[in-house]
Amino acid sequence: MYDDVLLPFDGSDGAAEALHHAAEIAHWADATIHVLFVADTTRDSVTVVETRVVDALVQKGETIVKEAEKTLRTLGVDSDSDVVQGNPAPTIVEYAERYDHDLIVMPTHGRQGVSRYLLGSVTEKVVRLASVPVLTVRMQRDEQLAFPYENVLIPTDGSAGAGNAAAHGLSLAASLDATVHALSVVDDTSLGLDGRSTVSRREGERVATDAVDDVVSEAEAHGVTNVVRHIEHGSPVEGILDCVESNDIHAIVMGTTGRRGTDRILLGSVAEKTVRSAPVPVITVGQGE
């Protein structure tokens, strides 16, 4: 499923948790983890040491990635590392694309010290920009990190972006022999009680049903035998979170773009809200995947 996993890493507690989760995935997939430290060029980190001009962040990064590789060796995972300079989010995205990594693993926030590139806002930029799938781990007390994933949630709105993400999620589920939960949320939170609203609600239900049907059909083609259908009403993010809680979901796979309009389930804003709030890992899949 995965051969080369990119792990942007700053040595913080959140990043360390993401490292261990990435190691579990890499061990299962027999993949190599590439540890990357980005020395943020938007910050002033150049100093003089014994008449030599050095970049303190680069030096610190070299120490951090060496420690990460040491941990990965202990965990029995192949790895290498790199320290580069640049603007963190676009640098991570460009690096992943340049070296053909097939998964990026990032926590949604890290420390606020010398390296801030793992803060949520930067992770969300990576989610938004990357053509490579991005697995995010929200490091909060309620975070649930279980691998292998036994229940995979695939939210869908029937769009091309949703279908792209569903294909990735179904391949992952098939590899893990996991149960797929196909979810479509009819966002009727802004509808009134007049006749036109009733028609819109019925149309929304039809679109949602068709979207779930598409995932079920694709699941059969991928060899996934256990599929659970969900049609919900309300806020898309709340529908996703409720489904996670009610069905012991271990991971979410969703697209970063969806159908037209600002209220559709898979638009970037909804994907980013899910990344910030879901208590399980979220794998986002861009249009380029």
Side-chain angles (χ1 to χ4, degrees):
M1 184 69 196
Y2 303 118
D3 294 318
D4 296 288
V5 177
L6 180 64
L7 179 71
F9 191 74
D10 71 351
S12 66
D13 290 342
E17 292 289 342
L19 180 147
H20 281 82
H21 194 65
E24 289 184 294
I25 295 171
H27 194 272
W28 160 73
D30 194 23
T32 298
I33 292 182
H34 306 267
V35 183
L36 176 68
F37 183 95
V38 180
D40 189 348
T41 54
T42 66
R43 297 167 57 81
D44 185 9
S45 59
V46 174
T47 187
V48 177
V49 177
E50 297 179 351
T51 72
R52 293 183 299 112
V53 177
V54 298
D55 188 319
L57 271 181
V58 169
Q59 287 192 332
K60 191 168 189 67
E62 289 171 351
T63 300
I64 285 173
V65 298
K66 285 178 183 177
E67 286 298 313
E69 282 201 272
K70 181 178 178 181
T71 299
L72 290 169
R73 281 196 299 272
T74 302
L75 296 171
V77 175
D78 292 335
S79 66
D80 59 30
S81 63
D82 201 359
V83 177
V84 299
Q85 295 176 303
N87 188 341
T91 298
I92 292 167
V93 171
E94 291 165 8
Y95 193 97
E97 293 172 351
R98 182 185 310 129
Y99 295 106
D100 294 323
H101 297 303
D102 39 34
L103 183 69
I104 303 171
V105 179
M106 297 183 73
T108 57
H109 57 274
R111 63 187 174 197
Q112 296 185 14
V114 294
S115 179
R116 298 184 299 177
Y117 72 92
L118 293 181
L119 285 170
S121 60
V122 177
T123 298
E124 286 162 17
K125 288 178 183 177
V126 173
V127 166
R128 220 176 297 141
L129 296 171
S131 59
V132 176
V134 182
L135 187 155
T136 53
V137 177
R138 186 184 63 95
M139 294 317 305
Q140 300 291 336
R141 290 181 180 179
D142 64 339
E143 187 77 1
Q144 302 161 30
L145 295 177
F147 192 86
Y149 308 136
E150 295 179 4
N151 291 291
V152 176
L153 175 62
I154 301 179
T156 179
D157 65 357
S159 66
N164 205 30
H168 187 89
L170 291 169
S171 294
L172 177 62
S175 299
L176 292 168
D177 194 24
T179 296
V180 166
H181 295 257
L183 166 70
S184 195
V185 180
V186 182
D187 189 356
D188 53 14
T189 55
S190 62
L191 297 179
L193 299 176
D194 60 14
R196 285 176 299 176
S197 297
T198 300
V199 172
S200 297
R201 187 174 288 106
R202 288 174 179 167
E203 174 63 13
E205 290 176 350
R206 184 194 64 76
V207 170
T209 300
D210 289 347
V212 169
D213 286 345
D214 288 343
V215 174
V216 172
S217 297
E218 283 297 313
E220 294 175 0
H222 281 78
V224 176
T225 56
N226 297 318
V227 184
V228 182
R229 306 163 57 96
H230 303 274
I231 305 293
E232 303 294 343
H233 289 256
S235 159
V237 176
E238 289 180 4
I240 292 170
L241 298 180
D242 288 345
C243 194
V244 168
E245 182 178 355
S246 301
N247 297 279
D248 192 26
I249 298 298
H250 296 146
I252 302 167
V253 183
M254 66 188 300
T256 57
T257 56
R259 300 176 70 87
R260 64 190 183 281
T262 58
D263 61 344
R264 295 297 186 172
I265 186 170
L266 295 180
L267 282 177
S269 60
V270 176
E272 287 160 19
K273 287 177 183 177
T274 301
V275 164
R276 288 196 297 266
S277 54
V280 297
V282 179
I283 301 174
T284 49
V285 181
Q287 287 281 58
E289 170 59 11

